[in-house]
Amino acid sequence: MKFTGKINEPSKMTVTSPGDWTQTKGPVVNLRVALDGKSASFTPSENGLYEFRCSSAPEAFEVQVGGTAPEPQPIPDPDPDVPPTPEPTPQEGILWDSNINGKWNDGNKREITVKQGSQQPDDKSIFVAASGSPKLVVDGNGVAHLVAGSGGVDNLSLKLRSRHQEGGDCANRFGGHGCAIDSSTVDFKTETCHNEHTGSKSFNHGVNIGTSWHRVDFTCKDTKVSCVIDGKKIGEHTVSISHGTKEKCDQNSYFWIRLNNSDHGRIYVMAKNYNSKLSLDFMFEPSKNSIALRNVRLVAV
């Protein structure tokens, strides 16, 4: 279902049966859902192609704001004398998305102080842990705030292939591969067991990390980890898989996002991952002892 919209004018979508509404494409908006679940509306503030889905409708709603996309051109017949270009290997898929799975843009403001969901392997649920009375404040418009401790914000820490909470000996609770972003550096570390770190490597990022939005992509593939900030590749590092094997990660694994200041509040997301890329927008909020997060997505690579 396709239609056009205008900046600063409400666009409304309706279905015949109630369902759960989510935004799947376009600039993040505040999606207002009616109490009966049969309609939703939003007011765009910028041009773009917006897409929304309702669980009770077979088709997505596509709203074009600020002009239409160019008409697709016909594909010419292949030249028999020219070998075809190999198809790129497709991504295995989205492992977790803050709007699709976390429903951060569902219009409901809320706080997660312990957990959301049942914390079963790969059930896409969230739980909050560590010190500093951490909480995740979800605004309902696609933005959430990880709040903990005091003293502002020292750094943002990301971790992939984590089995930190699995219990037992160190062979069963591999901490994972991480990167931490502060005002001047990106630090890579592997946590072989709780508070046991190896393979440290630091890179100066040269990005002005202030109180504005930035984009980070943290990738872990085989024995390589890398970090990109605002489209700039900061560094790549070789790691030891140790106990974080694919077999172990396929049993259960998760990623974390952590705020470090006087304490170390973090959220874990129950999404199995081995070779993956964690991407998100972040903004330091030192006056609130928090980090704002949006468009968090984990994709297999």
Side-chain angles (χ1 to χ4, degrees):
M1 290 172 277
K2 301 180 180 180
F3 58 96
T4 59
K6 294 182 179 180
I7 289 178
N8 297 327
E9 292 188 11
S11 295
K12 186 175 181 180
M13 303 160 286
T14 59
V15 293
T16 56
S17 301
D20 294 325
W21 292 81
T22 56
Q23 181 181 359
T24 51
K25 289 183 182 177
V28 175
V29 297
N30 184 13
L31 186 62
R32 298 178 292 275
V33 180
L35 292 177
D36 61 6
K38 294 182 180 180
S39 65
S41 63
F42 73 102
T43 302
S45 60
E46 57 184 296
N47 294 333
L49 178 63
Y50 298 77
E51 182 181 272
F52 304 89
R53 290 186 178 273
C54 182
S55 59
S56 65
E59 294 184 79
F61 291 86
E62 292 186 355
V63 185
Q64 181 69 50
V65 178
T68 58
E71 289 292 327
Q73 299 298 311
I75 301 174
D77 293 332
D79 187 336
D81 297 325
V82 179
T85 302
E87 290 290 329
T89 302
Q91 291 183 336
E92 296 178 27
I94 299 172
L95 304 177
W96 193 84
D97 184 282
S98 56
N99 290 331
I100 297 171
N101 306 108
K103 301 187 184 300
W104 290 5
N105 65 344
D106 65 358
N108 296 318
K109 294 184 178 181
R110 58 197 183 273
E111 292 186 2
I112 304 173
T113 57
V114 179
K115 63 181 181 179
Q116 174 181 286
S118 59
Q119 284 70 66
Q120 298 302 309
D122 212 38
D123 71 355
K124 316 303 182 187
S125 62
I126 296 173
F127 66 98
V128 181
S131 56
S133 301
K135 61 183 177 180
L136 187 69
V137 180
V138 180
D139 290 346
N141 61 357
V143 177
H145 309 263
L146 178 57
V147 185
S150 62
V153 178
D154 290 339
N155 63 62
L156 166 68
S157 174
L158 308 174
K159 190 72 67 81
L160 292 172
R161 292 183 184 167
S162 180
R163 290 174 47 82
H164 189 275
Q165 303 285 67
E166 292 308 285
D169 59 19
C170 288
N172 195 54
R173 51 188 178 96
F174 179 70
H177 304 296
C179 78
I181 303 166
D182 62 22
S183 60
S184 60
T185 63
V186 169
D187 298 319
F188 292 111
K189 286 183 181 179
T190 294
E191 189 175 17
T192 56
C193 196
H194 181 59
N195 280 339
E196 295 180 8
H197 297 96
T198 62
S200 298
K201 180 73 173 180
S202 294
F203 295 88
N204 292 321
H205 56 59
V207 178
N208 184 17
I209 304 291
T211 54
S212 58
W213 286 105
H214 298 276
R215 183 74 175 173
V216 59
D217 301 295
F218 174 43
T219 303
C220 181
K221 185 171 184 180
D222 300 325
T223 59
K224 297 290 186 181
V225 292
S226 62
C227 178
V228 174
I229 301 178
D230 295 343
K232 175 184 177 182
K233 185 171 182 178
I234 307 304
E236 184 176 84
H237 184 45
T238 300
V239 297
S240 172
I241 292 176
S242 183
H243 300 302
T245 61
K246 185 177 187 303
E247 180 184 11
K248 286 287 190 180
C249 289
D250 286 346
Q251 293 173 10
N252 192 25
S253 52
Y254 23 87
F255 70 91
W256 89 29
I257 301 173
R258 188 170 80 177
L259 159 65
N260 293 312
N261 49 25
S262 64
D263 291 288
H264 312 286
R266 59 181 173 259
I267 61 170
Y268 291 87
V269 178
M270 302 294 294
K272 291 181 183 178
N273 65 94
Y274 182 70
N275 285 345
S276 62
K277 177 174 73 173
L278 176 60
S279 302
L280 56 96
D281 299 327
F282 71 92
M283 178 170 59
F284 288 177
E285 299 176 310
S287 64
K288 302 177 182 178
N289 302 311
S290 67
I291 298 176
L293 309 165
R294 69 183 182 190
N295 300 321
V296 182
R297 176 171 284 188
L298 182 70
V299 180
V301 294

